[in-house]
Amino acid sequence: MEKLMQDLKVQIIQQLNLQEVKPEDIGNDQPLFKEGLGLDSIDALELIVLLQQFHNIRIAKPEDGPNVFYSIRTMAEYITAEKAKQA
Amino acid sequence: MKAFIQGAGCVSAQDSNVFPGEVRNYEGDRLPVADPDYKQWIDIKQIRRMGRAIKMGVAASHMSLENAGIKNPDAIIMGTAYGCLADTGVFLQKLVSQQEDMLTPTAFIQSTHNTVAGQIALLLGCHAYNNTFVHGAFSLENALQDSLLLLAEDPSRNILAGATDEITDFSHTVLRRFGLYKNAHTSGLLRSQSQGTMAGEGAAFFVLSAGKGEHSIAQLTAVEMLYRPASEEETTEHIRIFLQRNGLQPADVSLLLTGRNGDTANDRYYETVEQSLFNDTPVAAFKHFCGEYPTAAAFGVWLAAGSLQRGSIPEEAMVKGLPPVQPERILIWNHHHAKHHSLILLEKC
């Protein structure tokens, strides 16, 4: 899980072109949207593409989005659970 | 309709306060932009989504508004030939490499030509008239003409008008294959006597209004375009008539500011017309400061407006004659590959 969370931070910085943000600046439980990293609705679309592109996972239910993309940890937990289903 | 330039801002290969000051010289086949600190105008969270065309446009527009002492214009009108080329490239490349699947929205959103004017409006919270002209090397000139028409319709408006264009590594490689560029040094570019020029990019914006104000730096008297003239003689006649229409003779022009770019064939055109029309007029050039690009005339307007305000022409700009002291009137004549000719007349105010 730690490795996956670290990878996610690097992927998010790259995909969203977060200039001047380093992986260590993003907390595992820090909210990604609004008061946390300050991401917005366009970033949400980028994160959906990131999940497909890097982890081959499609979000089946759009209403799950706010919970899945709450933090790095919730994203990693979702990816782990979906990978287990695929196995 | 005439307009007063209330403020001007420019992002180019030169510092925004280059004149009077030290001119930056470059070697190679393209001039990079001397990027200002964009964070002074744009939030860091927004900068990450912006290509250079947008950043340059936003910065130049903010500079001009600050100079004019205006927070929100009554119209935003700009010209761009290439638009947001970098984001267009990213989007198209992903479209191909990812077989039209999993395309990210940012590059698509930022790839349209009118993104620049849109971003300027968003950052200002400006809901007024917003228009982008994409007419190749006439893009700036159409934006200026639209501005003059709007001012004729409603003289109370303050209009933000300008142009931006960027180079990408990909576009530069493609254009270089056509033999458009050569390796040179900017200080000797205009004397290089060979084919090709140096590529450039940049943005310049102006706040225009119908009345003279405390910040007015120059007067934009007339803008005209001539497409594909059959010969140098036709161009000469066109310039003569243009001046007559504005109640002027060639001798009334204090300085002819040309779009010479160091390409022999390109510059010969200026020589021929000057010999029959502007024999006794001092001649200057601006593309050795900013490089060649379709909306480079915006840099010329910025240089001319600043020169009229200061009452002096930078010596490095001169091609023929001595820099006129306290110039009254500058005619900018620019042509792009001898097809798109534009005449922009500026006067002291």
Side-chain angles (χ1 to χ4, degrees):
Chain A
M1 182 72 88
E2 283 301 321
K3 168 82 170 63
L4 178 56
M5 288 197 287
Q6 186 62 23
D7 289 347
L8 274 172
K9 289 175 190 176
V10 174
Q11 288 159 7
I12 286 172
I13 288 169
Q14 185 195 335
Q15 189 90 348
L16 306 185
N17 192 22
L18 296 175
Q19 297 164 354
E20 298 184 14
V21 176
K22 295 183 186 120
E24 56 268 30
D25 298 336
I26 308 174
N28 291 337
D29 298 300
Q30 178 189 1
L32 295 175
F33 290 83
K34 292 179 183 171
E35 76 272 18
L37 207 53
L39 304 187
D40 58 24
S41 57
I42 295 172
D43 295 315
L45 293 168
E46 296 278 1
L47 291 180
I48 291 169
V49 173
L50 182 150
L51 277 189
Q52 284 181 243
Q53 208 170 347
F54 290 94
H55 304 281
N56 199 25
I57 290 169
R58 282 175 188 270
I59 302 248
K61 297 180 194 165
E63 58 270 26
D64 289 344
N67 293 330
V68 173
F69 296 123
Y70 179 75
S71 67
I72 293 289
R73 191 181 300 281
T74 57
M75 280 184 75
E77 286 170 351
Y78 182 75
I79 292 167
T80 308
E82 289 297 309
K83 292 270 183 195
K85 280 185 207 169
Q86 288 173 9
Chain B
M1 183 70 202
K2 297 177 180 180
F4 286 90
I5 301 176
Q6 308 290 0
C10 184
V11 175
S12 70
Q14 305 297 331
D15 291 324
S16 52
N17 54 356
V18 57
F19 304 116
E22 188 109 343
V23 171
R24 286 190 189 209
N25 278 303
Y26 298 91
E27 199 163 7
D29 63 358
R30 64 193 264 190
L31 278 69
V33 156
D35 286 308
D37 181 11
Y38 293 110
K39 281 179 280 189
Q40 58 187 304
W41 301 289
I42 317 167
D43 184 88
I44 184 119
K45 283 175 188 160
Q46 291 166 306
I47 283 182
R48 67 192 165 95
R49 290 210 187 102
M50 293 183 180
R52 289 184 35 266
I54 302 173
K55 284 192 280 190
M56 292 189 295
V58 168
S61 63
H62 274 79
M63 285 179 205
S64 65
L65 288 167
E66 282 163 19
N67 287 344
I70 286 168
K71 289 199 170 154
N72 221 327
D74 302 304
I76 298 171
I77 307 172
M78 63 162 289
T80 177
Y82 298 140
C84 301
L85 210 50
D87 281 301
T88 304
V90 169
F91 179 70
L92 291 176
Q93 205 160 22
K94 284 186 177 174
L95 197 73
V96 174
S97 65
Q98 294 171 201
Q99 296 177 322
E100 300 182 22
D101 197 20
M102 293 188 290
L103 297 168
T104 56
T106 304
F108 172 65
I109 293 167
Q110 305 285 36
S111 67
T112 57
H113 285 71
N114 56 2
T115 303
V116 184
Q119 284 288 356
I120 293 168
L122 276 171
L123 289 170
L124 294 173
C126 175
H127 301 276
Y129 180 89
N130 193 305
N131 206 355
T132 299
F133 288 87
V134 184
H135 294 185
F138 282 159
S139 301
L140 166 78
E141 290 76 4
N142 275 285
L144 292 178
Q145 280 202 337
D146 192 28
S147 304
L148 294 176
L149 288 169
L150 265 186
L151 284 175
E153 210 173 74
D154 181 359
S156 68
R157 283 173 165 148
N158 287 305
I159 295 173
L160 178 63
T164 183
D165 267 310
E166 68 175 332
I167 315 171
T168 65
D169 290 341
F170 188 75
S171 71
H172 186 66
T173 306
V174 171
L175 292 172
R176 201 184 154 87
R177 279 187 209 149
F178 292 105
L180 296 177
Y181 306 126
K182 65 183 172 195
N183 284 312
H185 193 277
T186 46
S187 62
L189 179 67
L190 301 184
R191 297 184 302 275
S192 55
Q193 297 291 324
S194 57
Q195 193 193 345
T197 182
M198 293 169 80
E201 57 186 340
F205 273 82
F206 312 93
V207 176
L208 304 174
S209 68
K212 188 177 176 183
E214 56 174 321
H215 298 281
S216 300
I217 57 177
Q219 201 175 358
L220 174 64
T221 309
V223 181
E224 210 166 283
M225 289 160 270
L226 175 64
Y227 183 60
R228 281 186 185 271
S231 62
E232 282 91 336
E233 289 71 32
E234 186 187 332
T235 307
T236 305
E237 197 49 32
H238 188 91
I239 295 173
R240 194 193 310 276
I241 293 167
F242 168 81
L243 289 172
Q244 273 173 6
R245 232 188 335 263
N246 288 284
L248 301 169
Q249 296 297 316
D252 297 324
V253 174
S254 314
L255 179 81
L256 177 68
L257 184 58
T258 63
R260 277 180 170 76
N261 65 7
D263 183 302
T264 328
N266 185 74
D267 293 354
R268 198 179 300 127
Y269 207 108
Y270 292 108
E271 286 286 344
T272 311
V273 175
E274 282 161 19
Q275 279 166 16
S276 50
L277 206 58
F278 295 105
N279 250 330
D280 302 319
T281 308
V283 178
F286 60 89
K287 285 182 183 165
H288 55 306
F289 297 135
C290 67
E292 175 67 273
Y293 54 103
T295 53
F299 182 91
V301 175
W302 176 76
L303 171 60
S307 298
L308 288 166
Q309 183 190 22
R310 285 187 303 274
S312 66
I313 313 291
E315 271 190 31
E316 297 91 336
M318 295 308 296
V319 176
K320 289 179 194 169
L322 294 170
V325 180
Q326 298 295 330
E328 290 288 325
R329 197 170 287 116
I330 297 179
L331 174 63
I332 303 166
W333 168 32
N334 179 50
H335 75 71
H336 194 69
H337 303 314
K339 290 179 191 164
H340 299 77
H341 292 252
S342 69
L343 299 167
I344 302 172
L345 186 61
L346 295 186
E347 290 182 10
K348 190 178 170 181
C349 65

